[in-house]
Amino acid sequence: MCLFSYAPLRRGNIVLQEYEAWNIDTPLLPSVTRLYHLSPIGLGTPTVESLTGYIVRLAEAHCVSAGVLYSKVIKALAGKGNIFSFRVKDQAGYSTHTINGFGSPAADFVRALETLTGRRDLSYLTLLTWSRVLPSHSLLRRCRAWCESCLHAWREANQPIYEPLLWALQGVTICPYHRRILRHACPHCERQIGPLDSRSRRDCCSRCGQSLVPNGIDPVSDSQMQPSEELIWASWVASALGELLATAPQITCPPGRGLLAQTISLCVDRVCAGNASTLARFMHVGRGAVRNWQREKTTPGLDLLLNMAYRLGISLRDLLLGSPTLAPSWGFVRDAPVGGNIRSQPRRMAHGRRVHGAEVSRILYTALSETPPPSMEQVMRRLNHGRATVYRHFPELCRQIARHYAEYRAKRAIERKVQAAEEVRRVACELQAEGISLTRRNLRPRLTSSDYLNLEEGRTALREVRRQMAPQTRSE
């Protein structure tokens, strides 16, 4: 809009003088959201951020913990209860790893977070795009995994540290960029970390609070990898799954089982001359399994899908999206990968097999004399028989092993309580000497285990130190 005004000049002439234009249209303001409109990292790349990692980063952006953000904001919209009850050791409690999957937990959290942040692309931080073609079992790992080289490189380059979705996949064992084996335990407390804890942080252990980013990377440790054949297979798996995650934002309609069934049927016709039994022998499955794949009744497991794509010389993405023109017409172009054959793995249990009493007895007596004593669950992993069979043939030995382990656990619990009281008392005195307030937040980083403050002995020791320090504070 231009404004004009009359400006009289000499000799009676009048001219118009133009002023700056004003835009009087009402500006379109973005809708107000309760949480920040935080952009995901790596969207459309193989290292796209995971949804659990996004929740942690969103909590840090609001200067609160992940537990506070969930309980105060996300919980009501997601419709979940206490999700921080998961225990990595015994795999009990709420399975927080499913938030990165494609079931109802992932869908509920995506809907809640998109409502709170105003974003419309958070489903690509999960596996929801591939929900119809990927198996639901053995897909996501139940604890965090990370590449120390990636964390160190991001910190050195002043880039944000985050948790890629690729690291949450159980089939990924190495980093595709550094070819370094993913780490599964904290280097300080040697404990595994849950995918999402109430005290989760991007670069720190939620158990002990120590940093997960190494100060330096040893080049020798990167070279001490798996054998070359296993390394080639692990690298291919990581690259194939990364390509799958990078393709998700480009797909407008999630693929269904029909495209996968079409590709498998074409492989049967081209590679196996129309004989489904031949493909079943190649993949070490029953003929009925191949027929069920062709009829869209079931889908192959992830290891079978990777094995098939690898031997056909095509990408996992093309196999799931139905690209039949890429399938070779002369057979498999590669041999079976090392570690990709499920039949090559030993069976966990032998039903109907004769029990070798001398061998089983030797293993049980060896376990009985070990220090520290193993649990019966650990002993059963060494045997090729079921629990009921071993208990029926060796009841007294099994009871002795279980009793020794229970006594060891009770003794360790007492020692842990004593250690918790001593360490809390020592750290509290150190903080008091430094003039730092005796709060749990200040104590936890200096404790070897943050659980010490959850024990009654640890809390009692802290109260005693506070009572002892109270008269000194009043006298001063």
Side-chain angles (χ1 to χ4, degrees):
M1 176 179 179
C2 298
L3 301 179
F4 299 92
S5 65
Y6 290 98
L9 300 177
R10 293 183 179 181
R11 300 181 181 179
N13 295 331
I14 298 177
V15 297
L16 295 177
Q17 183 177 358
E18 185 176 353
Y19 290 88
E20 181 183 359
W22 290 356
N23 185 5
I24 61 175
D25 297 334
T26 304
L28 296 177
L29 299 177
S31 57
V32 179
T33 58
R34 188 169 183 184
L35 299 179
Y36 294 151
H37 192 74
L38 190 64
S39 300
I41 299 177
L43 201 62
T45 67
T47 55
V48 60
E49 187 175 17
S50 65
L51 189 60
T52 53
Y54 180 82
I55 294 174
V56 174
R57 206 161 54 87
L58 191 64
E60 293 183 3
H62 290 82
C63 300
V64 296
S65 65
V68 171
L69 182 68
Y70 171 76
S71 61
K72 300 295 184 181
V73 183
I74 303 177
K75 182 177 180 179
L77 290 179
K80 307 296 180 182
N82 179 21
I83 66 171
F84 303 117
S85 60
F86 179 70
R87 298 187 298 273
V88 178
K89 184 176 181 180
D90 52 7
Q91 307 292 317
Y94 188 88
S95 301
T96 51
H97 67 284
T98 57
I99 298 175
N100 296 322
F102 49 71
S104 58
D108 294 339
F109 272 87
V110 166
R111 183 183 65 254
L113 290 171
E114 286 186 344
T115 302
L116 294 169
T117 61
R119 301 204 63 87
R120 295 296 177 264
D121 50 8
L122 298 185
S123 61
Y124 305 129
L125 311 187
T126 66
L127 299 176
L128 287 171
T129 305
W130 311 98
S131 59
R132 301 178 184 175
V133 292
L134 287 181
S136 58
H137 56 86
S138 302
L139 190 60
L140 296 166
R141 55 170 49 98
R142 295 175 175 266
C143 65
R144 284 183 62 181
W146 61 92
C147 171
E148 291 184 324
S149 296
C150 287
L151 298 182
H152 181 265
W154 291 337
R155 188 182 65 178
E156 293 297 318
N158 291 326
Q159 295 179 354
I161 295 177
Y162 69 103
E163 185 178 358
L165 179 60
L166 187 66
W167 295 349
L169 299 180
Q170 189 171 344
V172 179
T173 58
I174 69 170
C175 173
Y177 302 104
H178 301 98
R179 294 200 169 189
R180 185 184 185 94
I181 299 177
L182 298 182
R183 192 179 184 96
H184 300 84
C186 172
H188 303 281
C189 64
E190 294 296 335
R191 289 187 292 179
Q192 293 182 330
I193 309 170
L196 183 63
D197 297 330
S198 60
R199 298 193 299 270
S200 288
R201 294 175 60 185
R202 295 174 296 164
D203 55 349
C204 293
C205 172
S206 59
R207 310 294 296 275
C208 65
Q210 299 294 324
S211 175
L212 301 177
V213 185
N215 295 325
I217 297 296
D218 184 8
V220 179
S221 62
D222 283 339
S223 61
Q224 295 175 350
M225 299 295 293
Q226 306 168 355
S228 58
E229 294 182 356
E230 296 183 4
L231 179 60
I232 294 174
W233 167 246
S235 300
W236 186 89
V237 169
S239 300
L241 293 175
E243 183 184 17
L244 204 67
L245 302 180
T247 309
Q250 306 171 12
I251 299 176
T252 56
C253 181
R257 292 184 179 180
L259 297 177
L260 178 60
Q262 180 183 359
T263 305
I264 293 177
S265 299
L266 193 64
C267 291
V268 171
D269 296 336
R270 288 186 177 184
V271 179
C272 305
N275 190 348
S277 298
T278 303
L279 181 63
R281 286 194 298 271
F282 279 139
M283 305 307 299
H284 300 280
V285 296
R287 184 176 182 273
V290 178
R291 289 301 183 191
N292 288 335
W293 300 344
Q294 293 178 298
R295 296 170 184 171
E296 304 179 27
K297 292 184 177 180
T298 58
T299 57
L302 182 60
D303 53 350
L304 290 174
L305 290 172
L306 291 168
N307 194 316
M308 188 182 303
Y310 181 83
R311 300 184 68 181
L312 290 173
I314 62 177
S315 65
L316 180 62
R317 177 193 61 182
D318 294 331
L319 180 65
L320 297 179
L321 294 180
S323 300
T325 57
L326 299 178
S329 58
W330 55 87
F332 289 114
V333 299
R334 294 172 180 163
D335 295 331
V338 177
N341 188 351
I342 60 173
R343 293 297 183 185
S344 64
Q345 302 175 359
R347 295 180 181 271
R348 293 183 58 87
M349 189 179 300
H351 297 281
R353 181 176 295 179
R354 177 177 295 180
V355 177
H356 298 282
E359 180 65 19
V360 175
S361 178
R362 182 187 64 81
I363 296 176
L364 293 178
Y365 273 111
T366 302
L368 194 58
S369 60
E370 290 181 4
T371 304
S375 65
M376 278 305 301
E377 181 180 357
Q378 295 171 335
V379 175
M380 288 300 172
R381 294 172 185 169
R382 309 173 188 176
L383 303 172
N384 200 24
H385 300 283
R387 177 185 290 268
T389 302
V390 177
Y391 267 92
R392 184 170 64 253
H393 288 82
F394 306 94
E396 186 60 31
L397 281 177
C398 292
R399 282 194 290 267
Q400 291 182 21
I401 294 174
R403 184 169 59 252
H404 282 195
Y405 182 69
E407 294 173 354
Y408 168 75
R409 288 288 304 274
K411 180 180 178 181
R412 285 289 299 164
I414 297 175
E415 294 176 353
R416 181 176 175 82
K417 293 176 181 179
V418 174
Q419 183 179 357
E422 294 177 352
E423 189 167 335
V424 169
R425 188 178 295 106
R426 176 180 57 81
V427 173
C429 294
E430 292 177 357
L431 292 179
Q432 182 68 19
E434 297 175 8
I436 302 176
S437 58
L438 301 182
T439 62
R440 293 194 174 193
R441 177 175 296 182
N442 294 334
L443 260 72
R444 279 199 180 100
R446 302 197 182 191
L447 296 174
T448 56
S449 175
S450 59
D451 292 337
Y452 286 167
L453 291 175
N454 297 329
L455 298 176
E456 180 60 31
E457 288 73 12
R459 295 195 298 267
T460 302
L462 180 59
R463 287 194 295 267
E464 290 177 356
V465 174
R466 286 174 175 171
R467 284 196 299 266
Q468 294 174 2
M469 299 300 176
Q472 299 179 9
T473 305
R474 287 194 297 267
S475 61
E476 294 176 356

